[in-house]
Amino acid sequence: PVAELAYILKHSESKACIVQDSKLLSALVQESGPSLELSSPDTAFVVVMYPNGKSGVAIKEECGMLDSSVRVVTMEELSALGVSASSEPLYEFVDVREDDVATLLYTSGT
């Protein structure tokens, strides 16, 4: 549920958030506001994995985050930022499919 995701973002003092698509980002914005209550909003960022051909800037506008300093980028835009001066990628791509399993473990520290 989106409310639980919003709680984890705020409670964990996250500086970044990776979302599946703009639909989830929009739901998080509705729950938490344009800054997503990320800590350090001036340096915080969101990565959208499946942007459906949109840029991070377009998604940010679509989700009502224009007044927020949180940066929104797509995976492709993030990848472009990760290219070294010699144009060699800093990592290798791994084939990921939509039905692959991912796990997020979160604890409040108690």
Side-chain angles (χ1 to χ4, degrees):
V2 173
E4 290 178 14
L5 294 174
Y7 173 81
I8 290 171
L9 279 175
K10 181 178 181 178
H11 188 264
S12 66
E13 299 180 5
S14 296
K15 294 175 179 41
C17 178
I18 300 174
V19 297
Q20 177 175 325
D21 54 27
S22 59
K23 182 178 175 182
L24 178 55
L25 179 57
S26 183
L28 283 169
V29 168
Q30 287 179 358
E31 183 73 28
S32 301
S35 72
L36 301 179
E37 298 192 45
L38 292 169
S39 70
S40 308
D42 291 336
T43 58
F45 63 95
V46 174
V47 179
V48 180
M49 294 179 60
Y50 302 105
N52 295 320
K54 300 173 191 165
S55 69
V57 172
I59 293 169
K60 182 174 179 172
E61 180 177 1
E62 175 185 302
C63 293
M65 298 177 69
L66 284 181
D67 292 336
S68 170
S69 58
V70 174
R71 185 174 181 180
V72 176
V73 296
T74 65
M75 284 296 288
E76 292 80 16
E77 292 167 339
L78 181 64
S79 179
L81 293 172
V83 176
S84 69
S86 65
S87 296
E88 293 293 322
L90 299 175
Y91 57 89
E92 292 182 33
F93 284 96
V94 176
D95 185 30
V96 177
R97 297 181 316 261
E98 287 190 44
D99 60 342
D100 284 347
V101 176
T103 302
L104 171 67
L105 299 175
Y106 173 76
T107 176
S108 63
T110 58

